[in-house]
Amino acid sequence: VLQAAKVNLKLRYSFLKYFYYLFLVKRGIGSIWRPLFFEYPLDANCYIDEIADTQFMIGPNILVTPIVEQGQTSRKIYLPQGNWYYFHTGVK
């Protein structure tokens, strides 16, 4: 448990500068967390319930795709057109 806490706290603090930047840009207008289709309004796949209900953006650069089923260890994700990198490894 201690190791998992350390890893997750390190991850949280690695995002703080980005969050501060987003809050500064937004200045209290709107949310920095938004549905995928807000960032990609012309991509019809972003409106599919399975995608729209379980994936979201943090600002324009981070796509979050959480595991939402108990016991699940992996899942399929939808990546809109663009350059995407896995956060933990930097692999495109």
Side-chain angles (χ1 to χ4, degrees), residues 46-62:
C46 294
Y47 295 90
I48 298 171
D49 286 343
E50 182 181 342
I51 294 167
D53 290 346
T54 63
Q55 292 185 204
F56 62 95
M57 298 292 295
I58 299 177
N61 300 316
I62 298 177

Side-chain angles (χ1 to χ4, degrees), residues 8-50:
N8 286 306
L9 281 171
K10 185 176 179 181
L11 177 62
R12 177 180 181 262
Y13 283 109
S14 71
F15 283 118
L16 281 181
K17 286 182 182 178
Y18 183 64
F19 289 165
Y20 288 145
Y21 166 76
L22 291 174
F23 284 124
L24 179 66
V25 169
K26 284 295 191 178
R27 295 184 185 169
I29 301 170
S31 174
I32 66 168
W33 290 268
R34 53 187 171 229
L36 201 55
F37 57 80
F38 276 28
E39 202 64 41
Y40 300 94
L42 300 178
D43 187 338
N45 290 319
C46 294
Y47 295 90
I48 298 171
D49 286 343
E50 182 181 342

Side-chain angles (χ1 to χ4, degrees), residues 50 53-54 65-76:
E50 182 181 342
D53 290 346
T54 63
T65 307
I67 302 262
V68 295
E69 299 291 330
Q70 184 174 354
Q72 189 178 13
T73 59
S74 64
R75 64 166 285 175
K76 290 183 180 181

Side-chain angles (χ1 to χ4, degrees), residues 62-90:
I62 298 177
L63 171 65
V64 179
T65 307
I67 302 262
V68 295
E69 299 291 330
Q70 184 174 354
Q72 189 178 13
T73 59
S74 64
R75 64 166 285 175
K76 290 183 180 181
I77 65 170
Y78 175 71
L79 297 174
Q81 187 173 359
N83 293 319
W84 296 98
Y85 298 88
Y86 184 61
F87 178 80
H88 295 286
T89 63

